[in-house]
Amino acid sequence: MCLVLLVLLILLYMVTLSILTFGPMPMIIAPQHSYSSSTTHYLRHFRSIFILDVANHDLALDRQGNRLSISSSDVRTDSRASVVNNKLIVWYNMPFWIRKRSDAELFGHCPVSACNLSTNYSADRAAGDAVVFDGAPLEIPVPPRAFPDQVYVFFMLEPPPKLGFGEQKNFSWNSAFNWTWGYRHDADIRTTYFYLEHSKQLPNISFLRDLVRNKEKAAAWFVSNCDEQAQRLRYVERLKEVLPVDVYGACGTLHCTTWATECDTMLTKYFFYLSFENSFCQDYVTEKFSRAFLKDVYVVPVARGGLNYSHHFPEGIFINADDFSSPEELGMYLKKLINDEDAYIDMLWRIAHFVDLDSYKNPYYYSWCHLCDKLHRLRDNAKTYPDVFGWYHDGTCRPPREF
């Protein structure tokens, strides 16, 4: 007994001496996984075509990271009357929603920037190194090329169900196109509806906790197309039987101007934002998804569409409706998450690692560079599509899963 007391007295003396010398020992608390440096490292280093490191991103996407300069030997001379350093891109029918910008705005930031743009097809078609067609004017024959290696580019950002190309084909356009330009990841010039970048600063957890406690409503949905391949309206009607959903736009009773700042700010009072696409098509995802990543908008996106979301976005920054067997099961999960404050804050903290790049203002910012670069390297990129409509349409979309 005396020996035990002696040992305890010695230990007490050592602890007291340690406190007097070094101060009290800190309380050791196991860090929450979500807020650990390892999680931040994972989020910061997740690789995706939708997440850009703006400072280091190589805009010549098919060069595998090599920024090659253009020398005189690279410039095409075979079909033009003289050596032409600046390549001319001519639009046959540029969509009205693509805002005309100066050549400096379009190409000035590009590694290969020696390109110009014209929207006057009749005046400049004979000099165009590339002619870009929005889809294809199927009612007319293919316009003849001005010279043999003039490149015809098929541009398309809409999914096949919205255009009906499967039903209408003009076979004279077979083998007309050399390159494709669109949202598909196998397109020759790839564009996306949005880009995310890494946030420069993360919010304080106490700030997120206060924000969550001030949220008022469950879910918001902005929609204008009520009759489409994805059966979104039917899905949401079922979801509303379990979880309240405010529907803004032509398919609901509430209204908010598209892309208005007050609409985006309003999302902060909701727990969830429904990012439901109009079609289940290969690689198709629009700016609807990126709206949850706008600056100072703290909301969890619920995605539903044809993209492989888990391949392109890190775990914990979105919820995929297709992971649930029914709208009702999804609704029950969302209700559970609303009542689990720590789990919900965990998602907001992960989402806060990313911010939208304002890319909806010019989603073609990088694809202009890619097109210009390819025009300076025709020998590396020579090809023809025997049936571009088949490439675009056949087997690229699926019906929504049964629910």
Side-chain angles (χ1 to χ4, degrees):
M1 177 67 72
C2 292
L3 183 60
V4 172
L5 287 173
L6 181 61
V7 171
L8 289 174
L9 286 171
I10 292 172
L11 288 172
L12 181 61
Y13 172 78
M14 292 176 65
V15 170
T16 304
L17 183 63
S18 174
I19 291 173
L20 291 173
T21 307
F22 302 106
M25 295 178 67
M27 182 180 293
I28 298 175
I29 302 175
Q32 297 184 50
H33 170 74
S34 303
Y35 314 137
S36 69
S37 59
S38 62
T39 304
T40 291
H41 183 272
Y42 157 69
L43 294 169
R44 292 290 192 201
H45 291 82
F46 189 93
R47 290 289 171 260
S48 168
I49 64 169
F50 296 99
I51 301 171
L52 296 183
D53 181 348
V54 178
N56 300 316
H57 184 65
D58 184 2
L59 304 181
L61 298 176
D62 60 350
R63 291 213 174 184
Q64 295 149 2
N66 298 317
R67 290 191 175 211
L68 303 181
S69 61
I70 298 299
S71 66
S72 59
S73 62
D74 295 316
V75 178
R76 193 188 75 210
T77 61
D78 48 349
S79 290
R80 305 292 291 275
S82 61
V83 174
V84 178
N85 286 298
N86 271 41
K87 306 302 178 185
L88 180 62
I89 299 164
V90 181
W91 272 86
Y92 177 86
N93 53 346
M94 190 165 86
F96 69 91
W97 38 265
I98 297 181
R99 186 165 70 85
K100 181 71 167 66
R101 299 170 190 265
S102 69
D103 291 333
E105 288 179 289
L106 294 176
F107 306 109
H109 60 281
C110 301
V112 179
S113 59
C115 284
N116 302 107
L117 174 68
S118 168
T119 56
N120 191 338
Y121 173 78
S122 59
D124 294 325
R125 61 171 296 273
D129 295 271
V131 179
V132 184
F133 298 84
D134 178 29
L138 297 176
E139 69 281 0
I140 65 169
V142 182
R145 282 174 169 77
F147 43 87
D149 56 354
Q150 188 176 48
V151 176
Y152 276 15
V153 183
F154 176 84
F155 174 87
M156 182 51 61
L157 281 187
E158 294 288 1
K162 291 193 70 174
L163 300 174
F165 273 160
E167 294 78 37
Q168 53 171 335
K169 287 187 179 183
N170 182 336
F171 291 101
S172 68
W173 285 84
N174 281 0
S175 300
F177 290 102
N178 306 106
W179 296 341
T180 54
W181 181 3
Y183 64 84
R184 286 263 295 275
H185 299 167
D186 58 347
D188 299 288
I189 299 98
R190 187 177 62 220
T191 191
T192 68
Y193 282 82
F194 64 89
Y195 289 105
L196 306 180
E197 64 176 327
H198 295 286
S199 302
K200 295 176 177 61
Q201 187 173 4
L202 294 176
N204 186 283
I205 299 304
S206 61
F207 165 80
L208 292 179
R209 195 172 300 280
D210 291 340
L211 185 145
V212 169
R213 290 175 179 175
N214 285 315
K215 285 184 177 289
E216 304 168 0
K217 299 188 175 185
W221 183 36
F222 298 136
V223 60
S224 57
N225 187 348
C226 312
D227 180 23
E228 16 64 355
Q229 181 246 23
Q231 301 179 36
R232 293 182 295 184
L233 195 59
R234 177 171 162 248
Y235 190 98
V236 171
E237 288 301 321
R238 290 263 300 269
L239 179 62
K240 287 166 69 174
E241 295 177 9
V242 178
L243 185 81
V245 178
D246 286 351
V247 181
Y248 292 84
C251 311
T253 58
L254 303 173
H255 299 282
C256 192
T257 306
T258 303
W259 296 122
T261 303
E262 62 270 20
C263 301
D264 301 328
T265 305
M266 175 194 67
L267 283 176
T268 306
K269 69 183 179 183
Y270 289 92
F271 282 88
F272 303 104
Y273 165 68
L274 304 186
S275 171
F276 287 7
E277 303 298 346
N278 58 44
S279 305
F280 281 82
C281 295
Q282 176 183 334
D283 303 328
Y284 182 66
V285 61
T286 67
E287 74 288 338
K288 296 178 185 68
F289 185 82
S290 68
R291 202 163 193 168
F293 299 87
L294 292 170
K295 191 176 186 311
D296 298 326
V297 173
Y298 296 92
V299 66
V300 172
V302 182
R304 184 171 179 265
L307 183 74
N308 183 348
Y309 291 91
S310 61
H311 179 75
H312 292 286
F313 302 104
E315 176 186 357
I317 73 167
F318 69 98
I319 296 166
N320 192 344
D322 268 4
D323 290 340
F324 301 86
S325 61
S326 68
E328 291 82 5
E329 185 184 14
L330 170 64
M332 294 301 294
Y333 175 78
L334 298 182
K335 288 181 70 172
K336 180 181 177 181
L337 195 54
I338 288 174
N339 293 318
D340 189 339
E341 186 176 88
D342 287 339
Y344 185 83
I345 290 174
D346 178 275
M347 291 200 72
L348 284 190
W349 186 80
R350 287 169 175 259
I351 290 167
H353 282 71
F354 306 96
V355 64
D356 182 75
L357 200 57
D358 279 344
S359 47
Y360 68 88
K361 295 176 182 176
N362 184 12
Y364 322 105
Y365 187 81
Y366 296 107
S367 57
W368 289 115
C369 298
H370 199 184
L371 176 56
C372 183
D373 176 78
K374 290 173 78 72
L375 284 174
H376 282 276
R377 298 184 298 113
L378 279 188
R379 291 185 195 138
D380 298 337
N381 296 285
K383 66 188 299 186
T384 298
Y385 283 81
D387 180 9
V388 78
F389 302 110
W391 171 86
Y392 168 71
H393 182 277
D394 296 348
T396 62
C397 299
R398 64 171 174 85
R401 295 188 177 94
E402 292 295 325
F403 56 87

